[in-house]
Amino acid sequence: SAAEVALRCAQLRRWAGQPLLLCAAVEEGVGQRFDGATWLVPPLALGRLYGREPQQALQLAERYGQCTGRDARGLGLNWVLGPVCDVNNNPANPVINVRAWGESPESAGALAAAFVSGCQREGVLACAKHFPGHGVTSSDSHLTLPLLPHSRERLAAIELPPFQQAIAADVASVMTAHLQLPALDSAHPATLSPAVLSTLLRQDMGFQCLVVTDALVMNAITNTYGAAEAAVLAFEAGADLILMPADATAALEGLAEAVESGRISQARV
């Protein structure tokens, strides 16, 4: 329940004795996960409204972000893993669908940016996900590694604009997607790819804030990589935070060994 989460967050802060990042994936409001808080309509409902009443949809998306941020802060959470910036342009997508804010780059980007503004105005970090775009996939990365055969030009036209709008709205973090994009990196999924995280996101798009992986426990990663190697590859690629490795102890030990061996530099740490 929301009340239990509030008690747990306070307890964790007392134990830590220092500031903590405490996050939750609450894409439909905090009540989506925790009973007693506000549960809102799926974001795609506002995407449909945007087609008829764009200004009203934008105002509601900003209030959606404010409500989510305010509820999160009331529970002691200071980081919301949303908004979804994927463009829902594949009706057969089994994992994004109504989580998206729109079915076009224009609606998805405008509404996601409005959510970011509202949420962060409440003093809670937002997170644009799943970079560089999960909306067109027809498979679920919780189960397997989706393949996107798109060119860089297609990505620039469809998948990337919503993330660019979120970055322009000063979004505090970006979450990676477990996708194979041969046009950018034929060897690694996006979460583990320097070409995607360091070159495309950091250098080309100018994002300088937090990069967090999607959950590394998902089959798209664990089917190929061990917990330690996945964590090290993600950190080498440019991720700042490693979310939900399959084995947290192994991931921490792998990172420590990579630093001690010189594989990861102290400058990167």
Side-chain angles (χ1 to χ4, degrees), residues 226-260:
E229 184 66 5
V232 171
L233 286 171
F235 191 67
E236 285 183 316
D240 302 302
L241 295 120
I242 309 301
L243 181 67
M244 290 179 67
D247 182 330
T249 300
L252 288 166
E253 290 175 350
L255 287 163
E257 290 171 8
V259 173
E260 290 165 4

Side-chain angles (χ1 to χ4, degrees), residues 46-114:
L46 294 186
R48 291 296 177 87
L49 179 62
Y50 184 86
R52 302 191 306 273
E53 298 285 347
Q55 283 307 313
Q56 184 181 13
L58 288 169
Q59 291 170 4
L60 288 172
E62 186 169 349
R63 289 168 62 185
Y64 197 122
Q66 287 180 290
C67 177
T68 303
R70 186 168 56 247
D71 272 11
R73 185 163 43 81
L75 270 59
L77 301 168
N78 52 14
W79 187 16
V80 167
L81 300 181
V84 168
C85 286
D86 307 311
V87 180
N88 185 48
N89 54 1
N90 177 6
N93 191 312
V95 66
I96 300 300
N97 46 70
V98 298
R99 300 165 64 195
W101 286 88
E103 296 176 326
S104 69
E106 295 76 20
S107 59
L111 294 170

Side-chain angles (χ1 to χ4, degrees), residues 156-188:
I158 304 295
E159 276 74 28
L160 298 183
F163 291 96
Q164 291 170 320
Q165 288 189 254
I167 292 169
D170 294 325
V171 70
S173 61
V174 167
M175 179 182 286
T176 68
H178 303 328
L179 307 169
Q180 192 80 51
L181 291 148
L184 300 178
D185 188 333
S186 60
H188 301 103

